């Protein structure tokens, strides 16, 4: 009896040790901290040295200007230097800000209006040069975007190009709203009958029992807000239009059911039900959209 108990304890210990080992094996190892490569370390070291060099040059320049300020002042006061553009730049170093604020003469002009006098002072040069820069920018912009044939794209063309690029980045799967299907409308009576039942259950509360339109638009005329071809109707039903309250039926109806109800919706064209809602959207003729007058 004692031997059996010892064997039972040994077996229990072995099982517990095996379970603990398995649990330890399943526990993921802690992630190692990200370590910068030698190139990254060298880049930051060089960037730091460049910053220190620029600071040293700045302080050196400040010390030189401070020590040579009397000599620079004498040079600035020379008549052939004082009124030149380079002289005005030199004036910034000796405390004269004419290059920035312009000449301030404080001379009154010989006219006034309602007690308001006008001084004969220059506009600040930075303001004038900034204004000239806006003129040059406007001419360049007009030539590049509106005159040149190989110039930049305007807002509408740029948006269209970006949307095309975005469509290429989206996976072209059955759940891609940018991918239009290539279905043909169903014409078999049984399929249309099934679509009618789906419409009565899910669509009639917004579009009316006969498609005459209630909260949603009228589905029996020639006007469509998101396209009246079967694949456009299929896309509208599947993905919805949340901004206009149209529910997305993807995941609630199968692809075949969406095609059935889409085909039934197209079969309502020209039925002219009572109390039909006024047309909305664009008129489609022979596959082309025409704006409603």
């Amino acid at each position: 009896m004692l031997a059996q108990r010892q064997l039972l304890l040994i077996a229990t210990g072995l099982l517990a040790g095996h379970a603990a080992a398995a649990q330890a094996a399943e526990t993921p190892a802690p992630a190692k901290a990200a370590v910068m490569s030698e190139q990254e370390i060298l880049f930051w070291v060089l960037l730091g040295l460049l910053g220190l060099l620029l600071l040293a040059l700045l302080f050196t320049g400040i010390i030189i200007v401070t020590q040579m300020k009397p000599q620079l002042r004498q040079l600035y006061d020379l008549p052939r230097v004082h009124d030149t553009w380079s002289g005005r730049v030199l004036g910034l170093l000796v405390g004269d800000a004419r290059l920035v604020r312009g000449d301030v003469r404080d001379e009154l002009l010989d006219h006034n209006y309602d007690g308001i006098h006008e001084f004969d002072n220059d506009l600040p040069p930075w303001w004038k040069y900034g204004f000239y820069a806006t003129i040059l920018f406007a001419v360049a912009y007009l030539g590049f975007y509106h005159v040149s044939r190989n110039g930049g794209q305007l807002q509408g063309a740029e948006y269209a190009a970006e949307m095309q690029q975005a469509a290429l980045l989206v996976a072209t799967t059955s759940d891609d709203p940018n991918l239009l299907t290539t279905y043909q409308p169903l014409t078999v009576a049984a399929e249309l009958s099934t679509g009618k039942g789906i419409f009565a259950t899910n669509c009639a509360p917004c579009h009316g029992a006969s498609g005459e339109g209630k909260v949603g638009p009228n589905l029996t005329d020639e006007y469509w807000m998101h396209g009246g071809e079967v694949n456009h109707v299929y896309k509208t039903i599947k993905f919805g239009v949340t901004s206009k309250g149209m529910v997305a039926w993807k995941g609630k109806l199968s692809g075949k059911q969406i095609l059935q109800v889409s085909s039934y919706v197209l079969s309502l064209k020209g039925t002219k039900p009572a109390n039909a809602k006024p047309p909305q959207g664009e008129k489609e003729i022979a596959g082309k959209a025409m704006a409603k007058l």
Side-chain angles (χ1 to χ4, degrees):
M1 188 68 178
L2 180 60
Q4 291 178 351
R5 289 182 179 178
Q6 290 177 345
L7 289 174
L8 182 60
L9 290 174
I10 293 172
T12 304
L14 290 174
L15 290 175
H18 178 73
Q23 184 177 4
E26 293 176 356
T27 303
K32 295 182 178 180
V35 180
M36 288 193 300
S37 63
E38 294 181 359
Q39 291 81 359
E40 291 176 333
I41 295 175
L42 180 61
F43 170 77
W44 289 112
V45 170
L46 292 176
L47 188 62
L49 291 175
L50 179 60
L52 291 175
L53 178 61
L54 292 176
L55 287 175
L57 291 175
L58 177 62
F59 285 123
T60 303
I62 293 174
I63 293 173
I64 292 175
V65 171
T66 302
Q67 295 294 329
M68 296 184 60
K69 192 170 183 179
Q71 292 82 359
L72 294 175
R73 186 70 192 189
Q74 292 177 1
L75 178 62
Y76 176 65
D77 290 335
L78 294 176
R80 64 177 181 272
V81 176
H82 187 271
D83 294 328
T84 63
W85 189 86
S86 59
R88 296 192 179 197
V89 175
L90 181 62
L92 292 176
L93 301 177
V94 296
D96 190 346
R98 284 192 309 151
L99 182 64
V100 177
R101 71 169 188 265
D103 290 325
V104 180
R105 293 183 289 271
D106 289 338
E107 296 178 0
L108 284 174
L109 297 177
D110 58 352
H111 65 271
N112 65 80
Y113 180 79
D114 197 18
I116 300 175
H117 297 272
E118 182 181 356
F119 284 96
D120 185 17
N121 292 326
D122 292 339
L123 288 172
W126 63 265
W127 189 95
K128 290 191 295 185
Y129 297 144
F131 179 68
Y132 299 152
T134 60
I135 296 175
L136 294 176
F137 175 81
V139 173
Y141 182 91
L142 178 65
F144 184 70
Y145 284 99
H146 295 276
V147 178
S148 176
R149 293 183 178 180
N150 298 322
Q153 294 178 329
L154 295 178
Q155 185 176 5
E158 186 176 3
Y159 173 77
E162 290 180 354
M163 291 302 294
Q164 290 179 356
Q165 293 176 358
L168 295 176
L169 297 176
V170 177
T172 54
T173 64
S174 58
D175 289 331
D176 179 11
N178 297 305
L179 180 64
L180 199 64
T181 54
T182 56
Y183 296 128
Q184 295 295 324
L186 303 174
T187 56
V188 179
E191 301 283 8
L192 295 177
S193 177
T194 303
K196 180 179 180 180
I198 299 172
F199 182 91
T201 303
N202 302 292
C203 310
C206 290
H207 293 283
S210 301
E212 70 274 13
K214 290 184 177 179
V215 178
N218 180 2
L219 301 177
T220 65
D221 55 29
E222 298 177 337
Y223 292 86
W224 297 88
M225 300 177 67
H226 305 286
E229 195 268 337
V230 65
N231 293 288
H232 289 95
V233 177
Y234 183 96
K235 176 183 175 180
T236 303
I237 295 174
K238 182 175 182 179
F239 297 104
V241 185
T242 55
S243 62
K244 297 180 180 178
M246 174 65 185
V247 178
W249 292 96
K250 179 183 68 172
K252 303 172 186 177
L253 298 175
S254 66
K256 183 176 181 180
Q257 289 175 319
I258 296 176
L259 181 58
Q260 289 170 336
V261 71
S262 300
S263 301
Y264 172 73
V265 167
L266 294 182
S267 71
L268 296 175
K269 179 180 177 181
T271 54
K272 299 180 180 180
N275 301 320
K277 194 174 181 180
Q280 295 175 273
E282 297 180 344
K283 185 176 182 179
E284 292 199 358
I285 299 179
K288 295 183 179 180
M290 182 179 69
K292 181 182 69 175
L293 299 177

